[in-house]
Amino acid sequence: MIRINLLPHRAEKRRALRIQFFVFCGISVVLGALIVGLVHVAFAAKIENQKSRNKFLDDQIGQLDTQIKEIQSLKEQIATLVKRKNVVEDLQSTRSSVVQLLDQMLRILPEGVYLKSLKQTGSKISVEGYAQSNARVSTLMRSIKDSSVLNAPQLVEIHASNSAGARLSEFSLRFNLSAQSAPVVPALPAVAASQGGTQ
């Protein structure tokens, strides 16, 4: 007996293919969304990891900046201490030369010569004073020239002056300390002296 299928089989096949197509599209959409979600999560984890690394580096940089400031402060303190130490050493090394200078001045100062100021700048000495005559100033200059501690006397100025009713010669004189006794200090304040010495 021959059976004939009168049902619309072609429409059924088309409907089945359409359903299959929509199922595949849905699966593709779900798979695509799943892949996008996984990629997003992976990138978000990497970004979070990088942020934590950046924060760690910022913290370390902050600590290093603090240490650098402390080191700079220590360097400044060391420089200040070194300067103070150098000043003290210079004063210690020149203390004897100042005593030597004053002792030598007392030894070579002729009678009738009175000093009113003595100023030292490095190895250069400037004196101002009064003398009973110009000849006594010349004697002082010769004594400076012959001294083993002093040298290169140079008369800056000399002129007549009246002091306490007496006629005197007011003079200004420069000379140098010799190399072996020259101090290293930048300056010695003016020292007043009003006592005449003897040769």
Side-chain angles (χ1 to χ4, degrees):
M1 177 176 197
I2 299 172
R3 292 184 179 182
I4 299 172
N5 186 5
L6 298 175
L7 293 175
H9 63 90
R10 290 195 179 105
E12 287 290 328
K13 281 184 180 178
R14 281 196 295 270
R15 191 167 64 84
L17 287 174
R18 192 177 301 116
I19 291 171
Q20 186 180 10
F21 172 75
F22 285 126
V23 169
F24 283 147
C25 284
I27 292 171
S28 299
V29 168
V30 170
L31 286 175
L34 185 60
I35 291 170
V36 169
L38 290 174
V39 170
H40 175 72
V41 169
F43 278 117
K46 286 186 177 181
I47 290 171
E48 193 64 30
N49 183 35
Q50 188 62 43
K51 284 182 179 178
S52 65
R53 290 176 64 187
N54 289 347
K55 185 177 182 305
F56 174 76
L57 290 175
D58 289 340
D59 293 342
Q60 294 298 316
I61 289 171
Q63 293 178 10
L64 288 176
D65 287 342
T66 304
Q67 292 175 1
I68 288 170
K69 288 179 182 177
E70 291 175 356
I71 290 171
Q72 188 65 30
S73 174
L74 288 174
K75 283 183 178 178
E76 291 173 358
Q77 291 177 10
I78 289 170
T80 302
L81 290 175
V82 167
K83 285 181 183 178
R84 290 180 182 176
K85 173 179 155 291
N86 290 339
V87 169
V88 170
E89 287 178 352
D90 289 343
L91 289 174
Q92 289 290 341
S93 65
T94 58
R95 184 167 50 179
S96 62
S97 66
V98 173
V99 173
Q100 190 178 15
L101 168 65
L102 294 176
D103 180 64
Q104 189 69 17
M105 287 302 299
L106 288 174
R107 289 177 187 275
I108 67 172
L109 201 63
E111 188 175 349
V113 176
Y114 306 91
L115 298 182
K116 67 176 184 178
S117 71
L118 183 146
K119 184 177 180 182
Q120 178 182 357
T121 305
S123 63
K124 299 187 180 301
I125 311 295
S126 300
V127 295
E128 294 180 0
Y130 298 97
Q132 291 177 349
S133 67
N134 293 349
R136 297 192 186 272
V137 177
S138 299
T139 302
L140 174 61
M141 292 180 68
R142 281 194 301 274
S143 298
I144 291 172
K145 189 174 181 182
D146 295 338
S147 170
S148 60
V149 178
L150 312 173
N151 57 41
Q154 179 184 3
L155 184 64
V156 177
E157 180 185 13
I158 187 167
H159 60 273
S161 174
N162 289 324
S163 177
R167 183 174 172 81
L168 300 172
S169 297
E170 186 174 358
F171 67 93
S172 176
L173 186 64
R174 291 181 191 158
F175 53 91
N176 297 331
L177 279 173
S178 59
Q180 65 267 22
S181 60
V184 190
V185 297
L188 176 74
V191 177
S194 60
Q195 179 181 354
T198 58
Q199 272 186 309

